[in-house]
Amino acid sequence: MTRSRTPRARAKRRSGGSRPWLGWVLKLALVGLVVLAGFAVYLDAVVQEKFSGKRWTVPAKVYARPLELFVGQKLAKQDFLTELDALGYRRESAADGPGAAVVNGNVIDLHTRGFQFYEGAEPAQRLRVRFSGDYVAGLDQANGSKLDVARMEPLLIGGLYPAHHEDRILIKLEQAPAYLVETLVAVEDREFFNHFGVSPKGIARAVWINATAGQLRQGGSTLTQQLVKNFYLTNERSLSRKATEAMMAVLLELHYDKREILEAYLNEVFLGQDGQRAVHGFGLASQYFFSQPLSELKLHQVALLVGMVKGPTYYNPRRYPERALERRNLVLDLLAQQGTVTEAEAEAAKQKPLGVTTRGSLADSSFPGFLDLVKRQLRQDYRDEDLTEEGLRIFTSFDPILQIKSEAALSETLKRLGGRKGVDEVEAAMVVTNPENGEVQAMIGSRQPRFAGFNRALDAVRPIGSLIKPAVYLTALERPSQYTLTTWIADEPFSVKGQDGQVWTPQNYDRQAHGTIHLYQGLANSYNLSTAKLGLELGVPNVLKTLERLGVSREWPAYPSMLLGAGALTPMEVATMYQTLANGGFNTPLRGIRSVLTAEGQPLKRYPFQVQQRFDTGAIYLVQNAMQRVMREGTGRSVYSQLPRNLTLAGKTGTTNDSRDSWFAGFSQDLLAVVWLGRDDNGKTPLTGASGALQVWASFMVKADPLPLDMPQPDNVTQAWVDASSGQGSAAGCPNAVQIPYIRGSEPVQGAACGGPESPSESVMDWVKGWLN
């Protein structure tokens, strides 16, 4: 008999049957908790590893030379103001804070910012600088006491960036200007100092506002969550990413205090894009948008930057000034509502303009030619990762005032020459150095000097033409028993048959022969025939050895055509060669770097001045004299249509076949500049050295206002009066008499006096001069 199941039994069975499902749920929950705990442990390790270690890769920063001020310094007031503008100094009614300047006639009062230099810290101080003409006439402290010297902070001219082009200027929380922290918290996270990483109240408020508005108007992320997203995560929009963000925010706040988190946020937040380079942190944003250090920002500037956090692209003040202004004023209203500032302060700030600079002051393409030189010289001593990640501070010899003047000279000259056919296709390069210490002060690698690309100053290897001629004449003048400036040489046609059977027949530029001339005239007038004949007498290998001593490291074949510049050099190599001529025969390797500091200000390496005497100073003195005659009576004489005739200069033009290259290299006492013009495809141009490169050089010298060349006369050199036509000894006052320097013992016999018998006093003076010599 089959027994029927009672309701109790059926219930019991149902109950027993449900227990396996409950067990599975409990087991899954337990596994989930274990996985979640493991995930939390993993996230905790990730959070601590990056936040406690090296948080950022910081690119190396490259600085210009610091401008030193002292009484008697040659510095025009306008040039000083140009420097102050580049440094972001504000023109105000009183210099009551760092970065402020007051201009009153020829007197400038300013409050410097101070700076950590290689030798130590330079404190911020108030200065009064008085100008007279183109010189500093007075330098005082605010209390009226005299100063021997004051040093301005150097201009930041660029950086060496990692592949992802991320950049920032790290700041400490105590460096934040007034209102920055209060404004950031008020706008982005009112509960920051009360929550534990996530804010339930903030989330609820965001949900309510978005629901009532019917659209997404406010997020619920805290500052900590924003930092986590920027620091560790991607911009992916998903619930899993949001949950991970919240968990990491809580973990971050468990290990670190609010001040550390806030400081990290100030340095990490994304605030704009400068070409390929991402602008991170308020420190860099302040320089990028206002050309000022963060610590100097005022309320209206702080409100703009904080307002941009919501959408750096949407509120970019350079592209969308109306949006940015509206957003800034909204932030100011919010500060007034919360009592952070008074209504009057907010209203006064709202009346201020946005005040952003016209372009980013830190663009890494500002001076690409010079920065390229710095990178190449640094890579001889540092790894790429050191340069792009360690925050090194590189101090250079770059002079922004001279760079601006060289760029203006090139631009104006090319514009003036633009009417000539083919000039628009001409490219350019320029190198400016200090002839006394070999420091590169300015560099142009293209006719568009602010655009990075092929750096012709360092990489355009072009035939140098007549720029080689001083080396030929120097080789001769080192043999004073055979050659002097007034030695007769022949400027006559000739031919030379080479070992390969080919015949070389040089010609003068004017296709004319000039007969028998003085040696210096061959250089002054850049005659090819006399120079080539002289070089063959000396021996081509000997001339090439002279070039090597001048600093040319390229190995050229000893062909006769090398005597007229068939060999090719870059403008930088030409500058090295002429540096030795300008510096009295002392060779100085050209350099752009002075010193390197770590991010913490610790000295790493200096690049000291190196010098080696390569030539007798007497022979160099004679070559310089002939190169001065290039400017006075030869191929460079057109400079004195722009420059005063009492300004002593030395230089040499260079033109290659079919005017494919236009060169000029020349120097004063304090400036050496090399200019090249030509086409990248080596095509013909309408420019000679005198009509092209020399015009750029002269325009630059007009702007730079150099000191006249004044090489001290060496002990082994004497001055002698000679007849300009015959080269025979003469006397002062004789018709056609000129003074020429000679290596002592090689001068011609003194000629008889002219214009009657000498007075007894004149005889005595002549005897004294002869005895002194």
Side-chain angles (χ1 to χ4, degrees), residues 459-530:
D459 296 323
V461 184
R462 305 293 294 238
I464 62 172
S466 296
L467 293 189
I468 198 175
K469 288 176 181 174
V472 177
Y473 289 86
L474 176 58
T475 307
L477 293 168
E478 283 194 293
R479 307 176 185 185
S481 60
Q482 296 176 259
Y483 300 98
T484 70
L485 290 176
T486 53
T487 297
W488 292 108
I489 58 176
D491 189 69
E492 299 288 354
F494 70 94
S495 297
V496 176
K497 189 173 184 179
Q499 293 180 351
D500 57 359
Q502 291 190 339
V503 177
W504 182 60
T505 306
Q507 293 187 30
N508 283 330
Y509 181 77
D510 61 3
R511 308 289 179 179
Q512 302 292 319
H514 302 92
T516 304
I517 61 171
H518 291 309
L519 183 139
Y520 79 82
Q521 291 174 317
L523 181 58
N525 296 293
S526 200
Y527 292 151
N528 290 337
L529 295 175
S530 52

Side-chain angles (χ1 to χ4, degrees), residues 460-680:
V461 184
R462 305 293 294 238
I464 62 172
S466 296
L467 293 189
I468 198 175
K469 288 176 181 174
V472 177
Y473 289 86
L474 176 58
T475 307
L477 293 168
E478 283 194 293
R479 307 176 185 185
S481 60
Q482 296 176 259
Y483 300 98
T484 70
L485 290 176
T486 53
T487 297
W488 292 108
I489 58 176
D491 189 69
E492 299 288 354
F494 70 94
S495 297
V496 176
K497 189 173 184 179
Q499 293 180 351
D500 57 359
Q502 291 190 339
V503 177
W504 182 60
T505 306
Q507 293 187 30
N508 283 330
Y509 181 77
D510 61 3
R511 308 289 179 179
Q512 302 292 319
H514 302 92
T516 304
I517 61 171
H518 291 309
L519 183 139
Y520 79 82
Q521 291 174 317
L523 181 58
N525 296 293
S526 200
Y527 292 151
N528 290 337
L529 295 175
S530 52
T531 302
K533 196 161 188 64
L534 175 65
L536 290 172
E537 290 176 7
L538 297 166
V540 178
N542 290 325
V543 174
L544 295 181
K545 286 178 183 176
T546 298
L547 279 169
E548 184 179 350
R549 290 159 63 204
L550 284 169
V552 175
S553 58
R554 293 183 184 269
E555 292 189 10
W556 289 336
Y559 297 152
S561 60
M562 291 296 162
L563 298 170
L564 298 182
L569 297 176
T570 66
M572 185 73 167
E573 289 173 313
V574 171
T576 299
M577 169 185 167
Y578 274 75
Q579 186 81 22
T580 309
L581 292 169
N583 197 25
F586 290 85
N587 177 259
T588 305
L590 298 186
R591 70 195 197 285
I593 305 170
R594 290 181 174 177
S595 58
V596 179
L597 297 184
T598 65
E600 293 74 33
Q602 296 301 312
L604 275 184
K605 183 171 182 179
R606 299 206 74 161
Y607 293 78
F609 171 57
Q610 298 177 356
V611 65
Q612 181 184 38
Q613 185 171 0
R614 297 276 183 88
F615 295 92
D616 170 63
T617 54
I620 293 289
Y621 187 86
L622 300 189
V623 171
Q624 280 196 9
N625 181 275
M627 293 174 70
Q628 291 171 35
R629 294 176 181 275
V630 171
M631 311 301 282
R632 295 286 182 190
E633 58 198 67
T635 55
R637 62 187 179 276
S638 66
V639 298
Y640 289 111
S641 64
Q642 302 182 56
L643 292 159
R645 293 202 64 82
N646 61 354
L647 178 63
T648 304
L649 300 166
K652 185 69 191 75
T653 53
T655 310
T656 60
N657 291 342
D658 298 320
S659 297
R660 297 177 191 276
D661 300 277
S662 169
W663 288 94
F664 189 81
F667 49 90
S668 66
Q669 187 66 26
D670 57 340
L671 285 177
L672 181 151
V674 174
V675 180
W676 169 84
L677 301 177
R679 290 175 52 154
D680 285 341

Side-chain angles (χ1 to χ4, degrees), residues 159-204:
L160 309 180
Y161 303 103
H164 50 73
H165 290 280
E166 193 172 293
D167 194 11
R168 57 177 50 79
I169 295 176
L170 296 181
I171 61 163
K172 299 290 186 183
L173 195 58
E174 55 267 23
Q175 295 173 309
Y179 302 116
L180 177 57
V181 172
E182 296 93 328
T183 306
L184 186 62
V185 169
V187 174
E188 293 295 321
D189 187 359
R190 298 180 197 176
E191 303 297 323
F192 175 73
F193 291 104
N194 300 317
H195 62 61
F196 51 86
V198 294
S199 173
K201 185 187 294 186
I203 294 172

Side-chain angles (χ1 to χ4, degrees), residues 27-41:
K27 289 176 182 177
L28 287 173
L30 185 60
V31 171
L33 286 173
V34 171
V35 171
L36 185 63
F39 186 55
V41 170

